[in-house]
Amino acid sequence: MMEHIPVLLEPVMAFLHVEEGGVFVDCTTGTGGHSQAILRGGADLLIGFDLDIEQLVVAQRKLLKTGGRFILVKSNYAFVDRVVKVNVDGVLIDAGVSTYQMEESRGFSFRKGGVLDMRFNRETGEKAVEFINRTDVEELAEVLKNYGDLKHPYGIARRIKENKIRDVEELTGILRRTFRREKAHKEIAKVFQALRIKVNRELENLSNGVKGAYRILKRGGRLVVITYHSGEERVVLKTASDMGFNMLTKKPLRPDKKEFEKNPRSRSAKLRAFEK
Ligand SMILES: C[S@@+](CC[C@H](N)C(=O)[O-])C[C@H]1O[C@@H](n2cnc3c(N)ncnc32)[C@H](O)[C@@H]1O
């Protein structure tokens, strides 16, 4: 497996202040890039969540090498305050899909082919392909509009619903015939993003995760959130403000050119930090 650099690692570490020790929660452990840095940086205990057991298996192997103390939990971070019953010093949410998941044939990427699944947790819930074939044009168009920022959602939804979709290749084929050639890749990626957000209820989880983080943080504790599109950002800003978080980043922090050349997925990343 290729080693990936965790997104915006430097500001994550600067805002979390792990060098002072304490308990930290990584809501989206993935393969453990940020978690590893948090443990190496001086955390006394790291509690790592992920819905995807395969990510946690890789993370565990990596974190064992740090010699630090950690607990991995296969759970939705929306329930972070039901699982973590101690006050913590810092919480990290690095939302969305990991580079590893994008590289697998699980439906996250139109480039990889295979089953149109898209669930982070493959033990429960509806696959993207089941959603597409069950829903109607109106609902599908709403999903494309709200989670993919697509310009002509009804037209696209109608084209998709004219067919019975079985896998990534079939959906991609229809979309290639729908979009103008020069724009096709970008627009197809947006359709895939919208379906993934719907299938995993990502915005609802994000809102509950920010609320849960507030409840488990000590006074003065920090929440760092990395988002990848405008819908996520809106949810984070609104929920954090409703909860009474103090925002530490007036403008979101973005990766520099050097970082996104090394890791193209970081291109749209925006980091916000909050204090309780
Ligand atoms: C962008 S990746 C995190 C990468 C990680 N920061 C690293 O350094 O390797 C997001 C991860 O969050 C997980 N995830 C997404 N939504 C989740 C949720 N509601 N609860 C728990 N994990 C979730 C995904 O399975 C994925 O592994």
Side-chain angles (χ1 to χ4, degrees):
M1 239 186 222
M2 214 174 97
E3 192 58 45
H4 293 285
I5 310 144
V7 174
L8 290 163
L9 182 59
E10 243 177 68
V12 166
M13 298 304 283
F15 281 114
L16 287 179
H17 280 320
V18 296
E19 63 286 354
E20 290 163 19
V23 181
F24 292 84
V25 177
D26 185 348
C27 285
T28 48
T29 305
T31 52
H34 287 110
S35 286
Q36 181 184 45
I38 290 170
L39 279 169
R40 290 208 167 128
D44 295 311
L45 176 66
L46 180 278
I47 307 169
F49 282 69
D50 208 291
L51 273 173
D52 184 343
I53 192 71
E54 287 166 41
Q55 305 289 296
L56 289 177
V57 169
V58 180
Q60 183 182 39
R61 247 181 265 135
K62 193 180 283 172
L63 299 185
L64 280 171
K65 291 184 200 147
T66 66
R69 291 205 294 172
F70 66 90
I71 300 166
L72 295 179
V73 188
K74 183 187 168 293
S75 166
N76 192 326
Y77 68 69
F79 307 130
V80 68
D81 56 321
R82 293 201 216 162
V83 177
V84 178
K85 294 294 180 191
V86 289
N87 285 330
V88 306
D89 297 274
V91 177
L92 170 66
I93 303 176
D94 176 14
V97 60
S98 77
T99 313
Y100 290 98
Q101 289 164 330
M102 288 292 280
E103 283 165 6
E104 292 169 344
S105 299
R106 289 171 56 174
F108 291 117
S109 168
F110 69 91
R111 292 188 170 89
K112 296 290 158 185
V115 252
L116 196 52
D117 186 326
M118 295 202 187
R119 293 167 304 164
F120 292 132
N121 180 1
R122 280 189 277 183
E123 284 159 31
T124 175
E126 189 177 45
K127 294 177 189 165
V129 67
E130 291 164 347
F131 166 68
I132 292 174
N133 290 320
R134 153 184 82 72
T135 193
D136 55 25
V137 171
E138 279 67 33
E139 191 189 12
L140 184 55
E142 282 299 302
V143 167
L144 298 178
K145 187 171 87 182
N146 297 335
Y147 305 148
D149 296 324
L150 283 139
K151 286 222 181 71
H152 306 290
Y154 279 87
I156 305 165
R158 232 175 279 124
R159 289 292 288 271
I160 296 175
K161 287 297 296 178
E162 279 164 8
N163 302 271
K164 172 143 175 63
I165 310 278
R166 277 162 305 197
D167 55 25
V168 170
E169 285 82 355
E170 280 180 352
L171 177 60
T172 309
I174 293 163
L175 295 173
R176 278 193 203 285
R177 294 192 289 279
T178 305
F179 296 118
R180 288 224 311 273
R181 210 163 148 202
E182 41 322 336
K183 283 195 174 169
H185 279 192
K186 219 165 155 201
E187 298 301 296
I188 295 173
K190 286 186 191 170
V191 171
F192 273 65
Q193 169 190 291
L195 290 169
R196 194 200 80 218
I197 292 174
K198 165 70 183 167
V199 164
N200 294 292
R201 298 166 180 255
E202 288 181 38
L203 299 189
E204 201 179 312
N205 291 335
L206 197 49
S207 171
N208 287 326
V210 171
K211 288 181 194 160
Y214 189 86
R215 296 186 191 116
I216 62 170
L217 276 169
K218 289 177 184 163
R219 200 140 284 287
R222 300 271 177 94
L223 166 67
V224 176
V225 189
I226 305 173
T227 56
Y228 294 86
H229 66 93
S230 56
E232 286 177 342
E233 213 197 352
R234 274 196 297 276
V235 167
V236 170
L237 291 178
K238 172 152 190 346
T239 316
S241 145
D242 289 349
M243 293 306 284
F245 266 117
N246 175 21
M247 186 152 71
L248 304 172
T249 40
K250 281 217 175 67
K251 277 189 181 169
L253 302 181
R254 317 279 316 256
D256 57 19
K257 199 163 163 261
K258 218 169 88 194
E259 176 163 359
F260 72 66
E261 270 167 10
K262 275 195 207 146
N263 177 8
R265 212 189 73 83
S266 74
R267 188 181 295 264
S268 50
K270 287 186 182 170
L271 180 149
R272 302 254 184 197
F274 305 89
E275 194 169 82
K276 176 168 171 180

